[in-house]
Amino acid sequence: MNKVFYVTFLLLLAGITFAQPKDILVNWECNMEIEILSGRFTPGDTVAARGSFNGWGRHDLVPSTLDPNFLCKRSARYSF
């Protein structure tokens, strides 16, 4: 019984250790409808998601094709 447990544990550990990283698709979305209606945001202004955590950098959001009140950006992120 212990041998089966140890073999299973080692196979699991080897699978985690040698697993290949995958691309993760991240969607940045911002609903600006309230800000547009209140006059604090006019279409043409810019909205950006930015930060230095794990090398994310800056992502400028653009109006969605389905709803112009939504600003969005899709980016692929390489996970490790």
Side-chain angles (χ1 to χ4, degrees):
M1 181 69 178
N2 284 339
K3 288 182 181 181
V4 172
F5 175 73
Y6 288 128
V7 170
T8 305
F9 177 74
L10 288 175
L11 289 174
L12 179 64
L13 184 62
I16 292 171
T17 304
F18 298 110
Q20 296 295 320
K22 299 183 184 206
D23 288 336
I24 297 174
L25 189 61
V26 177
N27 291 325
W28 304 93
E29 294 181 358
C30 184
N31 184 356
M32 297 300 289
E33 184 176 8
I34 301 295
E35 300 299 320
I36 291 171
L37 291 175
S38 68
R40 292 183 290 218
F41 182 83
T42 57
D45 289 347
T46 59
V47 175
R50 53 186 170 168
S52 60
F53 182 71
N54 285 340
W56 280 95
R58 179 184 171 124
H59 299 281
D60 292 327
L61 282 73
V62 295
S64 171
T65 56
L66 299 175
D67 186 358
N69 294 327
F70 274 89
L71 300 173
C72 59
K73 169 78 177 195
R74 179 176 289 176
S75 62
R77 176 72 178 144
Y78 189 73
S79 73
F80 39 91

